[in-house]
Amino acid sequence: WDLRPVPEFSSAEYSYETMQQWEREGRFEDLIRVYEQPYNRPAPTKIPAGRIELSFPPERGLPSPRVAMELALSPPEATVSLDKQPQVRVWVHATEPVGMIQVSGSTPAAVQLIAPLFGGKEEGPAKPSIVAGELSQLGYPPPKLSQGEHWRAFEQEGWGGFRFAIFLMWEPGGGTEWRAAWTVATTNENHDPLALARQRVEQALKNTDEFEKSHELWWKGYWDQSRIRVPNKVIEKQWYLDTYKFGAASRRGAPPITLQGPWTADDGKLPPWKGDYHHDLNTQLSYWPCYAGNRLEEGLSYLDWLWATRENCVAWTQRFFKLPGMNVPMTGDLKNNQIGGWRQYTHSATTGAWLAHHFYLHWKFSQDRKFLEQRAYPYLNDCAVFLEAVTNERDAAGKRSLPLSSSPEINDNKPNAWFSTITNYDLALIRFVFSAAAELADMLGNAEDAAHWRSVLAELPEWSLAEDGGMLVAPNYPLNESHRHFSHLMAIHPLGLIDLSHGEEEARIVRASLAHLKETGTDYWCGYSFAWLANLAARAKDGETAAQALETFAKAFVLRNSFHCNGDQSGQGYSKFTYRPFTLEGNFAAAAGLQEMLLQSHTGVIEVFPAVPKDWREAAFERLRAQGGFLVSATRAGGETTAIVIESEYGGTCRVLLPWTGAIQEYALGAGERRILEKS
């Protein structure tokens, strides 16, 4: 990462009060200068680490060989095969920061370690576009290259004395077997990253067999956490590919998933959207699958980082908003520092609230009492304190409101992207935080806090609804055009504040809102829009729509390598966006969408196969996770659920909707107890 600070965000004119004043006065050029133009600079940004090239010349007199490439998932490894030439296996160890390359059938004629194109002269602002410019604009010195008979290395100096090193080493000898190891090390780990990198690869090459066994063992455990089987093989395959990517991209003790995770392209350019942390959808959707998918340990990578950067966010909240409590910048660098962009979202008052939802979900799915006491409630409480202060302004009806309200990314960065009345997006997040803070305070026996947050919750306005009951963007503001971000529907999913289970009035809101989404069409949707639709439709118990959305996502918005590429790649006209920068949130939201079709527990009732299409007569899943710390397996055959297995991690009472009778049955289970439910 290049972590140089943004000078404008330390200036005297950088404040919420000044922002409001400039908005009232129409000083839009000043607003763009302070809040948006800094994001058009090359840095701060995520940066690539380089690449390795192996050369295998074709046999004399023969044409260039055909190349076949495969990705195995258990354990993950990439295999490149050339006919009449070698087979190359490449894998990165599951827990150690070392990659391995194994060649059978030949030996590379040349081995190159190629540094990114950093060396250059620092230039002015880059163009405001998806890819903001060239790596050379960062102004780094050229890399320091070094090599020996069986190794290649380089060290690169970045901004502010930061350095990173790459070391590649291979075993001596000839024949038809060749093996190499490589790593990346930085000054964040050691003052001499080159020495650390060399030490790592030497150790890996000395113990290759044990190294590979531990890699395989970790991935076996990962895949044992949950499995699914559905008749739509396009959707099933995409779930396994995306679940693999989640395991590869999120590991506790390492930074959480950025826009592209660890897969930063080495093309001489800055990463799309700087490869940063976007908290208005991207990071949140990326972690949706860890809960029902029973991968809480990997999800803690995200929560650990949010907790570790909490003090930065508190300091930013005090500096910019001049209010108590905590909010979080919407665009963040590796330390969650504000790096700017469209002001209506980068400086939104409710970003922290959406992130707090993940702390709440981890508690609900894990029932980890220590996490509740030490992480979930403190984080939610910090957000609630801030939201109480920032909503102290009242509307004409005397209800709490925001001086500046938005709904990502409605009206993009135009002046009318700020609304004069509170949006359903902001209202949903604020309602969630006060409600969840009260619930968790009750769990901790803190009746005073719980009563306070419920009293503040009662001071908020009602939802903005159309005549047919559908969710508006804001009072008297319907979304009458196709739009990629379903921010106005946050109350339905992921927050679950409005749900079919709450009665006909809310069911009407859900149905009308989804009908309106379909009416406005998909012309300006991204791939993640289809993935989010699958989750929304699953909550509405509309399995046909959910399955269709996931299949469209997999067929039209995913490249052959399985990465979500934002725009429609099919040529079938699903969207007018046809560009192809890749980001990961669409992949992970799609995995969560299938899980939502197979298991739901957000209402406090476990329901299996709640939103599967009628033609999914055969389906099964193993060890998906329900709220309350319950692991659930179920089988569907002949169009009916045939068995449900529930395991309790910590003990407790679960409520299960029995598909055979339609009744809700309670089961008290001890810690580690397993209950099998079958149709009598």
Side-chain angles (χ1 to χ4, degrees):
W1 267 88
D2 184 308
L3 292 174
R4 68 188 77 187
V6 179
E8 286 85 350
F9 298 164
S10 298
S11 68
E13 57 190 2
Y14 181 69
S15 75
Y16 194 49
E17 183 180 5
T18 301
M19 174 186 274
Q20 293 175 62
Q21 180 182 337
W22 287 358
E23 291 288 348
R24 288 193 298 267
E25 295 173 355
R27 293 174 60 177
F28 302 126
E29 289 185 5
D30 282 331
L31 288 162
I32 291 169
R33 171 179 58 83
V34 172
Y35 296 98
E36 298 184 26
Q37 284 182 353
Y39 194 75
N40 297 333
R41 295 192 194 116
T45 182
K46 196 171 186 290
I47 55 178
R51 69 180 185 271
I52 296 165
E53 289 189 3
L54 308 182
S55 298
F56 298 93
E59 293 185 29
R60 184 174 299 176
L62 295 176
S64 295
R66 293 173 298 173
V67 179
M69 289 177 278
E70 288 186 356
L71 173 67
L73 299 185
S74 184
E77 64 179 35
T79 303
V80 184
S81 301
L82 294 81
D83 58 357
K84 298 185 179 180
Q85 286 283 337
Q87 182 181 79
V88 183
R89 291 176 58 224
V90 182
W91 49 278
V92 177
H93 194 276
T95 58
E96 301 298 327
V98 178
M100 302 296 294
I101 307 170
Q102 294 170 275
V103 181
S104 58
S106 183
T107 300
V111 181
Q112 290 182 286
L113 177 61
I114 300 175
L117 299 172
F118 285 125
K121 182 179 179 182
E122 189 171 359
E123 299 177 4
K127 293 180 179 179
S129 63
I130 293 171
V131 177
E134 309 292 325
L135 291 176
S136 59
Q137 291 177 271
L138 295 171
Y140 297 168
K144 295 180 180 178
L145 306 174
S146 55
Q147 68 178 56
E149 185 178 0
H150 302 293
W151 60 272
R152 303 284 184 269
F154 74 81
E155 190 173 44
Q156 177 67 57
E157 181 181 347
W159 177 84
F162 170 78
R163 288 175 291 120
F164 74 89
I166 313 293
F167 202 93
L168 166 68
M169 176 178 281
W170 59 95
E171 294 176 335
T176 58
E177 301 294 323
W178 186 90
R179 187 158 47 191
W182 59 271
T183 191
V184 184
T186 80
T187 47
N188 293 332
E189 305 166 280
N190 190 288
H191 71 281
D192 188 348
L194 191 61
L196 175 61
R198 180 165 192 150
Q199 179 184 347
R200 282 178 180 163
V201 298
E202 287 178 338
Q203 189 67 26
L205 289 172
K206 283 180 183 177
N207 302 282
T208 303
D209 291 341
E210 292 180 14
F211 201 63
E212 187 162 6
K213 285 178 184 176
S214 62
H215 169 73
E216 292 173 355
L217 187 63
W218 189 93
W219 278 101
K220 181 183 182 303
Y222 180 79
W223 286 117
D224 285 347
Q225 288 170 263
S226 63
R227 292 185 176 88
I228 61 97
R229 176 171 52 82
V230 297
N232 186 315
K233 296 307 173 185
V234 171
I235 296 174
E236 180 182 287
K237 178 182 178 181
Q238 191 64 43
W239 183 85
Y240 277 100
L241 286 164
D242 293 340
T243 302
Y244 149 68
K245 283 193 287 295
F246 188 78
S250 190
R251 186 77 77 260
R252 198 169 190 190
I257 299 167
T258 56
L259 290 175
Q260 292 88 29
W263 295 287
T264 304
D266 181 49
D267 58 0
K269 299 183 182 300
L270 298 168
W273 298 288
K274 300 188 169 191
D276 64 23
Y277 292 100
H278 266 49
H279 300 312
D280 75 332
L281 176 152
N282 306 83
T283 60
Q284 293 94 330
L285 270 64
S286 289
Y287 281 89
W288 279 356
C290 75
Y291 304 107
N294 192 26
R295 303 181 197 282
L296 297 185
E297 181 72 13
E298 288 70 45
L300 282 167
S301 165
Y302 187 40
L303 300 181
D304 289 346
W305 177 77
L306 289 172
W307 185 261
T309 58
R310 176 170 165 247
E311 292 306 317
N312 277 356
C313 297
V314 169
W316 173 74
T317 303
Q318 293 173 346
R319 184 172 72 251
F320 177 71
F321 291 97
K322 297 181 174 56
L323 292 173
M326 183 191 69
N327 191 22
V328 180
M330 191 224 89
T331 46
D333 64 15
L334 185 61
K335 296 184 177 180
N336 223 358
N337 292 316
Q338 174 69 264
I339 62 178
W342 289 354
R343 63 192 183 276
Q344 295 89 344
Y345 321 115
T346 60
H347 290 73
S348 163
T350 56
T351 301
W354 196 348
L355 298 170
H357 184 238
H358 282 269
F359 283 84
Y360 176 80
L361 289 176
H362 184 88
W363 152 247
K364 295 292 281 188
F365 279 87
S366 72
Q367 295 295 289
D368 182 337
R369 183 81 183 188
K370 184 177 178 181
F371 182 86
L372 167 65
E373 295 171 353
Q374 299 182 3
R375 295 283 178 92
Y377 184 67
Y379 200 93
L380 273 154
N381 187 70
D382 282 351
C383 292
V385 167
F386 168 74
L387 290 172
E388 181 182 13
V390 80
T391 59
N392 204 37
E393 181 174 301
R394 308 296 166 127
D395 64 16
K399 296 291 187 179
R400 289 179 174 271
S401 191
L402 285 172
L404 294 172
S405 188
S406 66
S407 189
E409 296 162 341
I410 306 299
N411 298 326
D412 294 343
N413 61 338
K414 300 182 182 73
N416 64 344
W418 284 125
F419 289 82
S420 58
T421 52
I422 195 166
T423 63
N424 272 332
Y425 169 81
D426 282 334
L427 180 59
L429 287 166
I430 296 167
R431 278 185 168 278
F432 158 73
V433 164
F434 293 147
S435 174
E439 177 189 336
L440 299 193
D442 274 336
M443 291 294 303
L444 294 170
N446 191 335
E448 184 178 351
D449 271 14
H452 174 73
W453 294 129
R454 288 194 174 95
S455 70
V456 178
L457 176 64
E459 296 173 346
L460 292 170
E462 298 300 317
W463 306 113
S464 299
L465 302 176
E467 289 185 7
D468 65 358
M471 300 289 284
L472 300 173
V473 173
N476 303 313
Y477 196 100
L479 183 60
N480 285 330
E481 59 186 11
S482 177
H483 196 279
R484 61 192 175 275
H485 200 307
F486 305 154
S487 53
H488 62 303
L489 302 183
M490 288 284 294
I492 301 172
H493 182 277
L495 300 178
L497 301 176
I498 297 174
D499 193 78
L500 297 183
S501 64
H502 297 163
E504 183 52 37
E505 183 178 346
E506 292 194 12
R508 179 171 175 258
I509 294 172
V510 173
R511 288 193 292 265
S513 298
L514 284 174
H516 189 65
L517 266 190
K518 293 180 180 180
E519 288 168 10
T520 54
T522 67
D523 278 357
Y524 292 97
W525 288 16
C526 292
Y528 64 70
S529 311
F530 288 87
W532 193 346
L533 174 63
N535 287 270
L536 283 162
R539 286 285 175 94
K541 308 297 175 65
D542 182 353
E544 279 70 20
T545 295
Q548 183 181 33
L550 290 179
E551 184 165 354
T552 300
F553 171 80
K555 287 184 173 180
F557 294 87
V558 170
L559 301 174
R560 287 199 306 167
N561 61 14
S562 84
F563 285 130
H564 161 239
C565 52
N566 279 266
D568 180 2
Q569 307 299 305
S570 70
Q572 299 299 307
Y574 292 110
S575 174
K576 293 185 185 299
F577 288 128
T578 57
Y579 60 169
R580 50 187 286 140
F582 113 75
T583 55
L584 286 164
E585 76 293 319
N587 290 115
F588 299 135
L594 179 54
Q595 293 165 187
E596 198 77 27
M597 295 169 67
L598 300 176
L599 176 69
Q600 293 181 21
S601 60
H602 62 283
T603 64
V605 176
I606 294 172
E607 188 173 357
V608 301
F609 305 116
V612 297
K614 292 178 181 178
D615 62 355
W616 283 21
R617 298 181 61 78
E618 317 289 326
F621 61 86
E622 297 176 27
R623 295 173 62 81
L624 293 183
R625 180 176 287 268
Q627 293 192 12
F630 299 101
L631 300 178
V632 184
S633 303
T635 304
R636 179 177 173 86
E640 293 184 348
T641 300
T642 56
I644 303 172
V645 180
I646 300 176
E647 304 170 62
S648 175
E649 284 190 319
Y650 302 107
T653 299
C654 63
R655 303 174 70 220
V656 184
L657 177 64
L658 297 178
W660 310 290
T661 65
I664 296 173
Q665 181 70 44
E666 291 189 356
Y667 299 93
L669 301 176
E673 186 176 350
R674 190 168 178 261
R675 179 69 61 92
I676 300 174
L677 309 177
E678 295 177 300
K679 185 177 180 179
S680 58

mmCIF file of all heavy atoms in Angstrom, residues 25 41 48 62 136 173 186 199 225 266 284 289 299 323-324 336 368 388 393 490 497 521-522 538 540 543 609:
data_model
loop_
_atom_site.group_PDB
_atom_site.id
_atom_site.type_symbol
_atom_site.label_atom_id
_atom_site.label_comp_id
_atom_site.label_asym_id
_atom_site.label_seq_id
_atom_site.Cartn_x
_atom_site.Cartn_y
_atom_site.Cartn_z
ATOM 1 N N GLU A 25 -24.750 27.198 0.003
ATOM 2 C CA GLU A 25 -24.342 28.346 -0.815
ATOM 3 C C GLU A 25 -24.080 27.968 -2.271
ATOM 4 O O GLU A 25 -23.809 28.847 -3.094
ATOM 5 C CB GLU A 25 -23.083 28.975 -0.215
ATOM 6 C CG GLU A 25 -23.305 29.585 1.169
ATOM 7 C CD GLU A 25 -22.006 30.044 1.825
ATOM 8 O OE1 GLU A 25 -20.921 29.787 1.237
ATOM 9 O OE2 GLU A 25 -22.066 30.640 2.914
ATOM 10 N N ARG A 41 -5.914 11.739 -7.469
ATOM 11 C CA ARG A 41 -4.460 11.608 -7.445
ATOM 12 C C ARG A 41 -4.081 10.133 -7.448
ATOM 13 O O ARG A 41 -4.877 9.278 -7.058
ATOM 14 C CB ARG A 41 -3.900 12.277 -6.179
ATOM 15 C CG ARG A 41 -4.125 13.778 -6.141
ATOM 16 C CD ARG A 41 -3.283 14.397 -5.023
ATOM 17 N NE ARG A 41 -3.755 15.753 -4.791
ATOM 18 C CZ ARG A 41 -4.297 16.180 -3.668
ATOM 19 N NH1 ARG A 41 -4.424 15.339 -2.643
ATOM 20 N NH2 ARG A 41 -4.705 17.415 -3.548
ATOM 21 N N PRO A 48 0.608 -3.201 -6.822
ATOM 22 C CA PRO A 48 0.940 -4.588 -7.174
ATOM 23 C C PRO A 48 2.349 -4.955 -6.740
ATOM 24 O O PRO A 48 3.166 -4.089 -6.425
ATOM 25 C CB PRO A 48 0.812 -4.596 -8.696
ATOM 26 C CG PRO A 48 1.175 -3.198 -9.093
ATOM 27 C CD PRO A 48 0.643 -2.311 -7.998
ATOM 28 N N LEU A 62 8.425 -27.772 -34.428
ATOM 29 C CA LEU A 62 7.026 -27.984 -34.093
ATOM 30 C C LEU A 62 6.342 -26.645 -33.828
ATOM 31 O O LEU A 62 6.989 -25.679 -33.415
ATOM 32 C CB LEU A 62 6.900 -28.887 -32.856
ATOM 33 C CG LEU A 62 7.395 -30.324 -33.010
ATOM 34 C CD1 LEU A 62 7.294 -31.049 -31.672
ATOM 35 C CD2 LEU A 62 6.593 -31.060 -34.075
ATOM 36 N N SER A 136 3.887 4.627 -12.641
ATOM 37 C CA SER A 136 5.024 5.549 -12.664
ATOM 38 C C SER A 136 4.676 6.901 -12.049
ATOM 39 O O SER A 136 5.563 7.637 -11.620
ATOM 40 C CB SER A 136 5.513 5.738 -14.104
ATOM 41 O OG SER A 136 4.473 6.243 -14.921
ATOM 42 N N GLY A 173 19.818 -28.344 -9.746
ATOM 43 C CA GLY A 173 19.709 -29.660 -10.375
ATOM 44 C C GLY A 173 18.955 -29.580 -11.678
ATOM 45 O O GLY A 173 18.292 -28.591 -11.981
ATOM 46 N N THR A 186 7.556 -7.136 3.724
ATOM 47 C CA THR A 186 7.538 -5.669 3.780
ATOM 48 C C THR A 186 8.171 -5.174 5.076
ATOM 49 O O THR A 186 8.379 -5.926 6.031
ATOM 50 C CB THR A 186 6.102 -5.120 3.708
ATOM 51 O OG1 THR A 186 5.489 -5.234 5.004
ATOM 52 C CG2 THR A 186 5.267 -5.855 2.678
ATOM 53 N N GLN A 199 14.624 -15.937 3.912
ATOM 54 C CA GLN A 199 14.469 -16.933 4.975
ATOM 55 C C GLN A 199 13.204 -17.761 4.766
ATOM 56 O O GLN A 199 13.218 -18.988 4.943
ATOM 57 C CB GLN A 199 14.424 -16.216 6.318
ATOM 58 C CG GLN A 199 14.241 -17.123 7.508
ATOM 59 C CD GLN A 199 14.106 -16.337 8.804
ATOM 60 O OE1 GLN A 199 14.382 -15.149 8.860
ATOM 61 N NE2 GLN A 199 13.680 -17.013 9.846
ATOM 62 N N GLN A 225 -16.339 -27.365 6.438
ATOM 63 C CA GLN A 225 -17.206 -26.457 7.197
ATOM 64 C C GLN A 225 -18.623 -26.417 6.627
ATOM 65 O O GLN A 225 -19.581 -26.262 7.370
ATOM 66 C CB GLN A 225 -16.595 -25.059 7.238
ATOM 67 C CG GLN A 225 -15.374 -24.971 8.138
ATOM 68 C CD GLN A 225 -14.647 -23.651 7.984
ATOM 69 O OE1 GLN A 225 -13.679 -23.547 7.254
ATOM 70 N NE2 GLN A 225 -15.118 -22.635 8.671
ATOM 71 N N ASP A 266 -1.014 -6.912 -12.633
ATOM 72 C CA ASP A 266 0.297 -6.330 -12.915
ATOM 73 C C ASP A 266 0.298 -5.880 -14.370
ATOM 74 O O ASP A 266 0.789 -6.572 -15.256
ATOM 75 C CB ASP A 266 1.404 -7.358 -12.666
ATOM 76 C CG ASP A 266 2.778 -6.763 -12.926
ATOM 77 O OD1 ASP A 266 3.047 -5.671 -12.409
ATOM 78 O OD2 ASP A 266 3.566 -7.376 -13.670
ATOM 79 N N GLN A 284 -18.952 -4.697 2.585
ATOM 80 C CA GLN A 284 -20.071 -5.340 3.282
ATOM 81 C C GLN A 284 -20.565 -6.574 2.532
ATOM 82 O O GLN A 284 -20.758 -7.643 3.123
ATOM 83 C CB GLN A 284 -21.222 -4.351 3.480
ATOM 84 C CG GLN A 284 -20.893 -3.212 4.438
ATOM 85 C CD GLN A 284 -20.391 -1.975 3.722
ATOM 86 O OE1 GLN A 284 -19.766 -2.054 2.661
ATOM 87 N NE2 GLN A 284 -20.652 -0.814 4.287
ATOM 88 N N PRO A 289 -21.289 -13.882 2.868
ATOM 89 C CA PRO A 289 -21.399 -15.354 2.894
ATOM 90 C C PRO A 289 -20.788 -16.023 4.111
ATOM 91 O O PRO A 289 -21.005 -17.219 4.320
ATOM 92 C CB PRO A 289 -20.666 -15.779 1.619
ATOM 93 C CG PRO A 289 -19.664 -14.708 1.384
ATOM 94 C CD PRO A 289 -20.365 -13.438 1.812
ATOM 95 N N GLY A 299 -14.400 -14.610 8.446
ATOM 96 C CA GLY A 299 -15.070 -13.331 8.572
ATOM 97 C C GLY A 299 -14.446 -12.431 9.617
ATOM 98 O O GLY A 299 -14.537 -11.201 9.534
ATOM 99 N N LEU A 323 -18.104 15.646 16.658
ATOM 100 C CA LEU A 323 -19.160 15.026 17.445
ATOM 101 C C LEU A 323 -18.594 13.817 18.183
ATOM 102 O O LEU A 323 -17.583 13.237 17.762
ATOM 103 C CB LEU A 323 -20.316 14.587 16.543
ATOM 104 C CG LEU A 323 -21.143 15.701 15.889
ATOM 105 C CD1 LEU A 323 -22.129 15.099 14.893
ATOM 106 C CD2 LEU A 323 -21.873 16.534 16.939
ATOM 107 N N PRO A 324 -19.246 13.393 19.273
ATOM 108 C CA PRO A 324 -18.784 12.205 19.999
ATOM 109 C C PRO A 324 -19.143 10.922 19.258
ATOM 110 O O PRO A 324 -19.898 10.928 18.284
ATOM 111 C CB PRO A 324 -19.546 12.308 21.323
ATOM 112 C CG PRO A 324 -20.816 13.020 20.955
ATOM 113 C CD PRO A 324 -20.428 14.017 19.895
ATOM 114 N N ASN A 336 -7.768 2.390 7.256
ATOM 115 C CA ASN A 336 -9.129 2.908 7.324
ATOM 116 C C ASN A 336 -9.154 4.425 7.454
ATOM 117 O O ASN A 336 -10.069 5.002 8.049
ATOM 118 C CB ASN A 336 -9.930 2.258 8.457
ATOM 119 C CG ASN A 336 -11.339 1.890 8.017
ATOM 120 O OD1 ASN A 336 -11.746 2.150 6.887
ATOM 121 N ND2 ASN A 336 -12.101 1.288 8.918
ATOM 122 N N ASP A 368 -21.028 -15.911 20.682
ATOM 123 C CA ASP A 368 -19.779 -15.768 21.433
ATOM 124 C C ASP A 368 -19.967 -14.632 22.435
ATOM 125 O O ASP A 368 -19.926 -13.452 22.074
ATOM 126 C CB ASP A 368 -18.635 -15.467 20.455
ATOM 127 C CG ASP A 368 -17.281 -15.349 21.140
ATOM 128 O OD1 ASP A 368 -17.243 -15.062 22.352
ATOM 129 O OD2 ASP A 368 -16.266 -15.510 20.452
ATOM 130 N N GLU A 388 -26.888 9.469 17.454
ATOM 131 C CA GLU A 388 -27.767 10.282 18.299
ATOM 132 C C GLU A 388 -27.395 11.760 18.193
ATOM 133 O O GLU A 388 -28.271 12.628 18.103
ATOM 134 C CB GLU A 388 -27.679 9.822 19.753
ATOM 135 C CG GLU A 388 -28.596 10.612 20.679
ATOM 136 C CD GLU A 388 -28.471 10.197 22.132
ATOM 137 O OE1 GLU A 388 -27.510 9.478 22.478
ATOM 138 O OE2 GLU A 388 -29.352 10.602 22.932
ATOM 139 N N GLU A 393 -30.821 17.276 14.846
ATOM 140 C CA GLU A 393 -31.646 18.214 14.065
ATOM 141 C C GLU A 393 -33.018 17.581 13.818
ATOM 142 O O GLU A 393 -33.119 16.399 13.506
ATOM 143 C CB GLU A 393 -30.951 18.515 12.742
ATOM 144 C CG GLU A 393 -31.683 19.498 11.853
ATOM 145 C CD GLU A 393 -30.859 19.848 10.616
ATOM 146 O OE1 GLU A 393 -29.733 20.347 10.783
ATOM 147 O OE2 GLU A 393 -31.339 19.608 9.499
ATOM 148 N N MET A 490 -32.366 -1.241 1.839
ATOM 149 C CA MET A 490 -31.569 -1.779 2.943
ATOM 150 C C MET A 490 -32.427 -2.354 4.062
ATOM 151 O O MET A 490 -32.066 -3.344 4.703
ATOM 152 C CB MET A 490 -30.673 -0.674 3.512
ATOM 153 C CG MET A 490 -29.514 -0.277 2.625
ATOM 154 S SD MET A 490 -28.177 -1.475 2.645
ATOM 155 C CE MET A 490 -27.620 -1.324 4.335
ATOM 156 N N LEU A 497 -35.235 -5.291 8.726
ATOM 157 C CA LEU A 497 -36.159 -4.502 9.536
ATOM 158 C C LEU A 497 -37.585 -4.614 9.013
ATOM 159 O O LEU A 497 -38.553 -4.478 9.765
ATOM 160 C CB LEU A 497 -35.726 -3.029 9.541
ATOM 161 C CG LEU A 497 -34.320 -2.741 10.079
ATOM 162 C CD1 LEU A 497 -33.998 -1.261 9.935
ATOM 163 C CD2 LEU A 497 -34.182 -3.182 11.527
ATOM 164 N N GLY A 521 -36.127 -2.233 -14.504
ATOM 165 C CA GLY A 521 -35.265 -3.016 -15.380
ATOM 166 C C GLY A 521 -33.805 -3.022 -14.982
ATOM 167 O O GLY A 521 -33.372 -2.354 -14.036
ATOM 168 N N THR A 522 -33.032 -3.760 -15.753
ATOM 169 C CA THR A 522 -31.632 -4.035 -15.420
ATOM 170 C C THR A 522 -30.647 -3.264 -16.286
ATOM 171 O O THR A 522 -29.450 -3.550 -16.237
ATOM 172 C CB THR A 522 -31.358 -5.542 -15.554
ATOM 173 O OG1 THR A 522 -31.459 -5.919 -16.936
ATOM 174 C CG2 THR A 522 -32.337 -6.367 -14.744
ATOM 175 N N ALA A 538 -34.813 -14.002 -2.253
ATOM 176 C CA ALA A 538 -34.861 -15.111 -1.300
ATOM 177 C C ALA A 538 -35.600 -14.702 -0.033
ATOM 178 O O ALA A 538 -36.407 -15.468 0.501
ATOM 179 C CB ALA A 538 -33.452 -15.590 -0.973
ATOM 180 N N ALA A 540 -37.912 -12.634 0.072
ATOM 181 C CA ALA A 540 -39.324 -12.547 -0.320
ATOM 182 C C ALA A 540 -39.909 -13.915 -0.647
ATOM 183 O O ALA A 540 -41.050 -14.005 -1.107
ATOM 184 C CB ALA A 540 -39.470 -11.612 -1.521
ATOM 185 N N GLY A 543 -38.146 -17.997 -5.017
ATOM 186 C CA GLY A 543 -37.015 -18.799 -5.453
ATOM 187 C C GLY A 543 -36.730 -18.713 -6.931
ATOM 188 O O GLY A 543 -35.570 -18.786 -7.357
ATOM 189 N N PHE A 609 -34.725 -24.632 3.007
ATOM 190 C CA PHE A 609 -35.223 -24.506 1.631
ATOM 191 C C PHE A 609 -36.378 -23.493 1.546
ATOM 192 O O PHE A 609 -37.420 -23.767 0.939
ATOM 193 C CB PHE A 609 -35.669 -25.865 1.085
ATOM 194 C CG PHE A 609 -34.612 -26.925 1.152
ATOM 195 C CD1 PHE A 609 -34.785 -28.052 1.939
ATOM 196 C CD2 PHE A 609 -33.421 -26.787 0.443
ATOM 197 C CE1 PHE A 609 -33.801 -29.036 2.014
ATOM 198 C CE2 PHE A 609 -32.432 -27.763 0.508
ATOM 199 C CZ PHE A 609 -32.626 -28.885 1.295
#
